[in-house]
Amino acid sequence: TQGVSAAASDVYKRQIYDRFKKKHNNDNIKIMKKHSGMIVALLAASATAHAVELPGVLGDNMVLQQRADVRLWGWSKPEDTVEIKVSWNGKKQRVKADSKGNWSFSVPTPEASTETYTITIRDSESSVSLSNILIGEVWFCSGQSNMEMPVEGWPGQPVRDATETILDADPAFPVRHCYVKRSKSFDTQDRCDAVWSVNDGPGVAEASAIAYFFAKRLAEVLKVPVGVINASWGGTAIEGWMSKEVLDRDFPGEVDMSAYATRQWPEENNHTAPASLYNGMLHPVLPFTARGFIWYQGENNVNRPEQYSRLQPAFVRMLRDETGNADMPFYYTQIAPYSYGNPEGTAAGYFMWMQAQNREDIPNSAMAATLDTGESDCIHPSDKQTTANRLAGIALMRDYGYEYIDAGTPIAESFCFENGIAKVRFDVGKNGMSPISTDITGFELAGKDRVFHPATARVDENDCKTIRVKSEAVPEPVAVRYAIRNYSNATLFNCFGVPASPFRSDDW
């Protein structure tokens, strides 16, 4: 087990011990139990050299991407011949392991269906069979606590409709969830502890709420199986999910990489160390063939919006380089309103506006709005379905042909000031902004003195993509803002009920 993560090593030792027990009677087990450490180590060393081994993300109950050349990979005896047989076409393929025992190859998949399949992989001395496999749509899901939070919730922090969702779970419904166990590492790992769950009560209860509701919505609309691979960890910064190579190359001196020189984790929040989660959790699953990537993270970077505006595009480039998909869809969630100790503070508002602008720096990306789902006193909103459904709506609109909905977040794209009025035009669908013919609150205007005052807005009835903002306290405005606070209520929406992103025209 040398070179394997501690978690993977423990799992493997348990598997070896179970195999040993099956081959010997209980009396022999009792006699030899005191020597079990030596026995397991010897058996593991022997089996490592001769047994087919697969990464955790390739397992029973998984979903494979339809109509794709999906990658299968693993480890065997050096230079041995590995054979794979897939049940959907009955064909066999062979590949030779390299001098270190690594092997990989691609297998073409058919169109999605609810029929279950098997895969058998064997070398000259052993074989592994995978069962209950579905073929459909696969998405990576990653981030911090709001992505990690399970359907069953956390102590004192519920997820809305959790009881109904768990009790309604039907194993026949074709949604599968892969949970990647928390793991950090100084070195890039090829293995991680990951398990696929079917759509039963226990599996749904433990699944990421955002990932599960996203998959559920896609499966309901597309009528195909959907699998989600969730690698998330609460309280983590984006740089923890980026490779050391990218951070060293693109952000020299900006990110504290001192832990790699000392090989010592920080005493506090050591799971936030740069590159540590990429090494232990993300890198091992990225070879898996997937349609796209959804991301919910930012709270731990909320006080660094300018830096994040450069980190996130670099993160996406890294993902696309590693997956070999240069145009992989990347859909991310705007952080939800939260007081952060001061509801009137502006840090979160600045960050949300940065996230909205970041869309322009990341090709084939989109942002799901959350301005109407936040909770002032809890950073983990209970309403996960609304956010997940918006992510799913974006994917349906952009990737699956449902162009006739407007799931995208309205984002301010231009500002002008004339005759005491600020005009803000939005990047929004053809039906524009709402509500119309009524005053809308939540806005602020400032003059040359840079002092902001409350203002009201109206949707321009002659151009529903434009709003007009005014305030008697600011006769000659030069700057306009909307919801630039840590906690704000949504008042402006598109005509499909998606709230507009917070925005500001100034750079003060």
Side-chain angles (χ1 to χ4, degrees), residues 191-203:
R191 296 159 171 84
C192 66
D193 193 355
V195 179
W196 284 90
S197 298
V198 298
N199 195 69
D200 59 10

Side-chain angles (χ1 to χ4, degrees), residues 382-432:
S382 64
D383 182 3
K384 292 291 188 283
Q385 288 198 48
T386 297
T387 302
N389 286 343
R390 284 178 183 153
L391 286 164
I394 289 169
L396 290 166
M397 181 177 69
R398 296 171 62 96
D399 301 297
Y400 298 107
Y402 290 79
E403 298 94 345
Y404 42 84
I405 63 173
D406 185 12
T409 302
I411 296 176
E413 63 179 357
S414 66
F415 310 92
C416 71
F417 302 89
E418 58 184 24
N419 301 322
I421 293 174
K423 293 183 180 180
V424 184
R425 185 170 176 81
F426 286 83
D427 180 0
V428 64
K430 64 180 181 180
N431 289 336

